[in-house]
């Protein structure tokens, strides 16, 4: 003879769980936050930094590296080619070489950012530096080359220090964004916006298939028709079944 089973399940939204239980979920289920942090917070900052490099230095062929592991050698670095005309337009770099440039005593051929130091292991700002390729007028090469090389090295160091300062600032911004995007509060917001799952009072996930067709009472009481009456005692965690 057919039998009717009925059970009642109390289901909680994530925000209704005790904070301790929410934090347990956060500790074991925050991988999705890391993906969102990378895509929505870290990458936009990097893209903005690259755009600024292009604007300030005419940078092209930018290859960016970063490490946010809180370990030795973490940070940001990049390689790129800088547009010579764009940098020559910034007279602050070339004050000591202005007359030599205007007279044709030397010509700047190429300016680029390269990796240096322990770049195979580290990623911080000190693993990149500026190199400048230049040519001296052959007529004065013997007598002027060493003096000009020293002045070009000064310019190279000046630009290197400038971009390293920018990379330090970016590192700080990236860490700040990462901390916010992967925080417990961010996880709570994510679960409130995207999570339609229900949990028991102790934080155990209620299988969605189990309650998909349930009748919802008062927003938290979920009822299923199994062909018999099952009463749940929340205090003793026992079931009372009445077979009809």
């Amino acid at each position: 003879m057919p039998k009717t089973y009925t059970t009642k399940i109390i289901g909680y939204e994530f925000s209704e769980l005790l904070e301790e239980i929410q934090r347990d979920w956060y500790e074991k289920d925050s991988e999705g936050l890391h993906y969102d942090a990378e895509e929505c917070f870290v990458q936009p900052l990097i893209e903005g930094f690259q755009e600024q490099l292009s604007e300030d230095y005419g940078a092209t062929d930018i290859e960016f590296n970063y490490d946010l592991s809180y370990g030795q050698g973490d940070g940001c670095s990049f390689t790129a080619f800088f547009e010579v005309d764009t940098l020559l337009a910034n007279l602050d770099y070339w004050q000591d070489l202005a007359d030599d440039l205007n007279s044709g005593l030397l010509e700047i051929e190429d300016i680029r950012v390269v990796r240096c130091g322990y770049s195979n292991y580290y990623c911080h700002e000190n693993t990149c530096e500026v190199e400048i390729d230049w040519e001296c007028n052959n007529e004065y090469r013997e007598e002027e080359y060493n003096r000009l090389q020293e002045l070009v090295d000064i310019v190279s160091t000046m630009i290197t220090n400038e971009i390293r300062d920018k990379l330090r600032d970016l590192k700080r911004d990236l860490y700040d964004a990462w901390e916010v995007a992967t925080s417990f509060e961010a996880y709570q917001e994510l679960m409130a916006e995207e999570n339609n799952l229900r949990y028991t009072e102790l934080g155990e996930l209620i299988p969605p298939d189990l309650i998909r067709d349930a009748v919802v009472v008062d927003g938290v009481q979920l009822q299923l028709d199994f062909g018999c009456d099952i009463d749940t005692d929340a205090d003793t965690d026992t079931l009372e079944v009445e077979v009809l």
Side-chain angles (χ1 to χ4, degrees), residues 11-24:
Y12 296 84
E13 294 182 1
F14 185 80
S15 60
E16 297 172 322
L17 299 174
L18 294 176
E19 181 174 319
E20 179 182 356
I21 295 174
Q22 293 183 32
R23 287 188 178 276
D24 287 340

Side-chain angles (χ1 to χ4, degrees), residues 6-244:
T6 303
T7 189
K8 294 179 181 179
I9 303 174
I10 305 300
Y12 296 84
E13 294 182 1
F14 185 80
S15 60
E16 297 172 322
L17 299 174
L18 294 176
E19 181 174 319
E20 179 182 356
I21 295 174
Q22 293 183 32
R23 287 188 178 276
D24 287 340
W25 273 102
Y26 167 69
E27 293 296 331
K28 64 185 180 183
D29 187 45
S30 58
E31 184 176 342
L33 270 185
H34 293 176
Y35 176 82
D36 288 341
E38 180 85 19
E39 184 176 14
C40 301
F41 292 85
V42 171
Q43 286 302 324
L45 286 174
I46 292 175
E47 290 169 5
F49 181 81
Q50 292 175 320
E51 290 173 2
Q52 197 63 49
L53 287 178
S54 297
E55 182 177 336
D56 294 343
Y57 304 100
T60 59
D61 299 328
I62 303 171
E63 293 188 8
F64 194 85
N65 307 280
Y66 70 96
D67 174 9
L68 301 179
S69 65
Y70 296 94
Q72 183 179 6
D74 65 342
C76 314
S77 59
F78 70 94
T79 60
F81 289 93
F82 286 171
E83 187 178 57
V84 173
D85 289 342
T86 298
L87 268 71
L88 287 176
N90 189 336
L91 299 181
D92 290 340
Y93 299 141
W94 312 99
Q95 290 180 0
D96 295 333
L97 281 168
D99 292 340
D100 297 315
L101 287 166
N102 291 332
S103 67
L105 188 58
L106 81 159
E107 179 181 356
I108 304 300
E109 294 188 335
D110 188 60
I111 304 174
R112 59 189 177 273
V113 182
V114 299
R115 299 297 302 277
C116 63
Y118 294 101
S119 58
N120 289 336
Y121 306 99
Y122 299 148
C123 203
H124 55 70
E125 67 280 354
N126 292 330
T127 61
C128 63
E129 65 183 5
V130 171
E131 290 184 350
I132 299 176
D133 291 340
W134 63 284
E135 280 294 331
C136 179
N137 187 315
N138 285 331
E139 185 177 350
Y140 303 97
R141 186 178 184 87
E142 183 175 347
E143 57 192 82
E144 295 287 357
Y145 184 87
N146 290 337
R147 177 183 70 85
L148 293 174
Q149 181 65 68
E150 289 181 3
L151 293 176
V152 170
D153 288 343
I154 291 173
V155 175
S156 175
T157 299
M158 184 186 306
I159 303 174
T160 294
N161 290 337
E162 185 174 278
I163 64 171
R164 286 178 176 178
D165 286 342
K166 294 178 184 293
L167 287 167
R168 290 187 190 96
D169 291 341
L170 178 62
K171 173 186 175 180
R172 184 190 63 247
D173 292 343
L174 290 176
Y175 267 125
D176 288 346
W178 184 265
E179 289 293 334
V180 171
T182 60
S183 66
F184 173 61
E185 291 74 19
Y187 185 72
Q188 287 178 308
E189 292 179 9
L190 177 67
M191 297 297 275
E193 293 173 0
E194 301 183 8
N195 182 16
N196 295 319
L197 300 174
R198 294 295 181 268
Y199 304 81
T200 68
E201 184 179 7
L202 297 179
E204 295 181 3
L205 183 64
I206 299 174
D209 290 343
L210 182 63
I211 58 176
R212 178 174 294 133
D213 299 320
V215 176
V216 180
V217 180
D218 295 333
V220 296
Q221 182 170 291
L222 308 171
Q223 180 170 312
L224 289 174
D225 187 0
F226 284 142
C228 80
D229 287 332
I230 304 178
D231 294 327
T232 303
D233 187 330
D235 294 329
T236 62
D237 203 22
T238 61
L239 300 176
E240 295 181 4
V241 181
E242 180 182 350
V243 180
L244 303 178

